[in-house]
């Protein structure tokens, strides 16, 4: 999402590994999960092969379904305890 010329859709992680500053930038969306990742070590862009990212759209749907099931079971249990 761009607002006033600044792209707020990009997220950054800055870390220090073995005395070197590492910057990871990426985009995150509900459809693709994490994508368009780039890595820089001490300001120099590194070529990295991304094997996978978590969670993608399908996994997010699965997690939502599990949460809905748990919430519905909890609600049914509360309702049945009130009636008895």
């Amino acid at each position: 999402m761009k607002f006033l010329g600044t792209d707020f859709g990009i997220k950054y992680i800055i870390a220090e590994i073995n005395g070197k500053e590492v910057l990871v930038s990426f985009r995150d969306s509900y459809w693709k999960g994490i994508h368009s990742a780039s890595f820089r070590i001490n300001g120099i862009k590194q070529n990295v092969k991304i094997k996978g990212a978590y969670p993608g759209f399908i996994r997010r749907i699965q997690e939502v379904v599990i949460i809905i099931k748990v919430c519905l079971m909890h609600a049914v249990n509360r309702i049945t305890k009130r009636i008895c």
Side-chain angles (χ1 to χ4, degrees):
M1 176 179 98
K2 286 192 175 185
F3 181 71
L4 298 176
T6 302
D7 192 353
F8 288 99
I10 298 177
K11 297 182 175 49
Y12 299 95
I13 299 172
I14 301 171
E16 186 172 319
I17 301 173
N18 296 330
K20 296 180 180 180
E21 187 176 278
V22 178
L23 171 92
V24 180
S25 63
F26 59 92
R27 293 183 179 279
D28 184 24
S29 71
Y30 285 104
W31 293 103
K32 294 182 181 179
I34 295 173
H35 61 97
S36 302
S38 67
F39 295 79
R40 294 182 182 269
I41 298 176
N42 288 337
I44 302 169
K45 186 170 182 173
Q46 303 294 316
N47 292 326
V48 177
K49 182 178 181 180
I50 307 286
K51 298 241 179 181
Y54 177 84
F57 180 69
I58 300 298
R59 183 63 186 156
R60 288 183 194 215
I61 294 291
Q62 291 171 341
E63 289 176 355
V64 167
V65 168
I66 291 170
I67 291 170
I68 289 172
K69 283 182 181 179
V70 169
C71 289
L72 287 175
M73 286 176 31
H74 180 67
V76 167
N77 287 339
R78 284 185 13 207
I79 291 170
T80 56
K81 286 182 182 177
R82 285 185 189 169
I83 293 173
C84 296

